[in-house]
Amino acid sequence: MKITLDEAAKIIGDAQTIILTSHIRPDGDSIGSTLGLMHYLRAQGKDARVLIDDDLPRIFKVLPGLEMIERPAEGVRYTADLLIVCDVELKRTGNVVSSVDAVRVLNIDHHVTNDEEAEYLYLNPDYAATCEIMHDLIGAMGGTFSLDVATCLYTGMATDTGFFRFSNTTPHTMRAAADLIEVGVKPNIISVAMELKSYDEVMAQVRAIRNLEMFHDGMVAAVFIDEEKAKEVTTTEGLLDKLRVIEGTQVVFFMKWLEKDTYRVSMRSKGTNVSRIAQGFGGGGHVRAAGCTIYAPFDEAKKKILAAIGEELNR
Ligand SMILES: [Mn+2]
């Protein structure tokens, strides 16, 4: 059932024990929105904790309280008055949703592809980030931002907007970010932390870019990483930002080997609806940034994704 932000605030107000979670392959917005709201709720005297069913990339060490995020233990049942699923629909939280017995479940998201299965859903794709929703949610609860809350929320807003450069950046996004900077967030510290790479990661990116191929008359730039190449391309972090700048491209993406006949695809576009392409393979995301997993042998997976993109370009 879709609800308003005020109704979401009321549901949270009624709960005392609260578990927050988000998607696997965590990013700045998923970690920032859960951890930021956790800090706020704890300051209100609530018993709040964050469960995320994945490893946390080390760049997020800049976020206060990162070490408090727990990975659900196998076979353990967690109970709470309320489970809040942030920045994703319920089914993409790994084992969290199935491990938690909660009286109520609230889903807060900004992804247009949300499956709307949640008992209570606040969904608004006009927001650039779930952290931007959290900014307004805390406002709706009559709260203010501690530096810990502000640091977490700012980080998610910054990463989901490419540091306020992507088309999802609105006047509201900038005003919300300004509120957080006023509390004391230092944008340079967050951006330096988010962009930090080891020497090995930089070299992995160089090796990835060596596999660059162009398709559809230069409108598509892609990097395909098969099982063999995956051994030396250990990270794809930031790779699409390097491809996006190529003149004439409409869609850029990479397809990377995960396991036998399983490939992860991550896409960015300058307007082409890549979320529709991702949905065709059971994935999701936003119009200009989306991802999916393709289950097929390498050559077939490559052919399928290129055909789907070609079709969308010709719509
Ligand atoms: Mn997000």
Side-chain angles (χ1 to χ4, degrees):
M1 181 178 66
K2 282 203 182 175
I3 59 171
T4 65
L5 200 58
D6 285 332
E7 287 164 338
K10 170 85 170 67
I11 287 170
I12 294 170
D14 289 344
Q16 180 55 31
T17 55
I18 298 171
I19 293 173
L20 299 125
T21 190
S22 188
H23 53 82
I24 54 169
R25 279 188 286 272
D27 60 18
D29 197 28
S30 61
I31 298 177
S33 59
T34 50
L35 200 56
L37 189 58
M38 183 203 83
H39 284 306
Y40 175 76
L41 295 172
R42 286 191 179 186
Q44 303 307 303
K46 293 187 188 290
D47 176 0
R49 64 203 284 201
V50 178
L51 295 179
I52 290 179
D53 193 13
D54 209 339
D55 294 330
L56 307 175
R58 65 186 162 79
I59 56 168
F60 297 112
K61 282 197 179 119
V62 73
L63 297 184
L66 188 76
E67 70 288 348
M68 288 188 251
I69 297 180
E70 305 162 74
R71 196 165 178 167
E74 202 148 327
V76 174
R77 302 297 309 166
Y78 299 84
T79 56
D81 297 336
L82 179 65
L83 172 65
I84 308 178
V85 179
C86 305
D87 196 41
V88 72
E89 61 219 18
L90 274 50
K91 66 172 184 255
R92 292 182 213 273
T93 58
N95 285 322
V96 174
V97 169
S98 59
S99 310
V100 174
D101 299 308
V103 181
R104 287 169 141 183
V105 178
L106 169 62
N107 188 190
I108 299 174
D109 193 12
H110 70 128
H111 289 89
V112 66
T113 52
N114 188 294
D115 64 7
E116 305 189 14
E117 293 284 319
E119 183 189 6
Y120 298 101
L121 171 65
Y122 179 73
L123 176 65
N124 192 339
D126 292 340
Y127 284 97
T130 299
C131 281
E132 187 182 349
I133 301 178
M134 293 308 178
H135 168 279
D136 286 9
L137 176 67
I138 289 171
M141 292 191 278
T144 54
F145 308 105
S146 67
L147 183 55
D148 284 356
V149 172
T151 302
C152 292
L153 299 188
Y154 180 89
T155 298
M157 287 171 51
T159 54
D160 262 28
T161 59
F163 284 83
F164 310 99
R165 289 174 302 151
F166 297 162
S167 62
N168 57 359
T169 308
T170 65
H172 181 277
T173 314
M174 299 298 259
R175 289 194 182 99
D179 288 343
L180 305 174
I181 293 169
E182 261 173 15
V183 175
V185 176
K186 298 278 182 281
N188 57 316
I189 291 176
I190 304 301
S191 76
V192 166
M194 292 301 113
E195 289 171 349
L196 190 72
K197 281 187 172 50
S198 67
Y199 172 81
D200 288 344
E201 286 167 335
V202 171
M203 293 314 288
Q205 194 173 74
V206 169
R207 286 189 287 267
I209 289 178
R210 277 206 207 117
N211 297 294
L212 174 63
E213 295 179 73
M214 303 298 289
F215 301 92
H216 297 295
D217 295 323
M219 287 193 287
V220 176
V223 166
F224 292 92
I225 304 159
D226 61 14
E227 181 174 2
E228 194 53 37
K229 286 173 184 155
K231 288 175 194 157
E232 55 172 30
V233 180
T234 48
T235 176
T236 47
E237 196 59 51
L239 176 60
L240 295 181
D241 292 327
K242 293 285 178 288
L243 305 189
R244 283 184 331 114
V245 300
I246 302 171
E247 196 172 6
T249 53
Q250 293 301 321
V251 176
V252 302
F253 74 98
F254 66 78
M255 182 183 101
K256 187 182 180 188
W257 182 86
L258 278 184
E259 53 184 50
K260 189 179 170 1
D261 295 345
T262 307
Y263 294 87
R264 174 79 195 153
V265 172
S266 186
M267 300 174 276
R268 299 282 181 278
S269 92
K270 292 168 184 163
T272 307
N273 190 342
V274 290
S275 87
R276 191 154 48 202
I277 299 167
Q279 276 181 303
F281 294 100
H286 307 283
V287 170
R288 290 176 168 83
C292 56
T293 304
I294 300 182
Y295 302 92
F298 180 80
D299 290 335
E300 196 187 324
K302 180 173 178 176
K303 221 179 267 173
K304 276 184 171 172
I305 186 65
L306 283 170
I309 291 171
E311 211 172 284
E312 193 62 43
L313 283 171
N314 289 323
R315 270 178 103 96

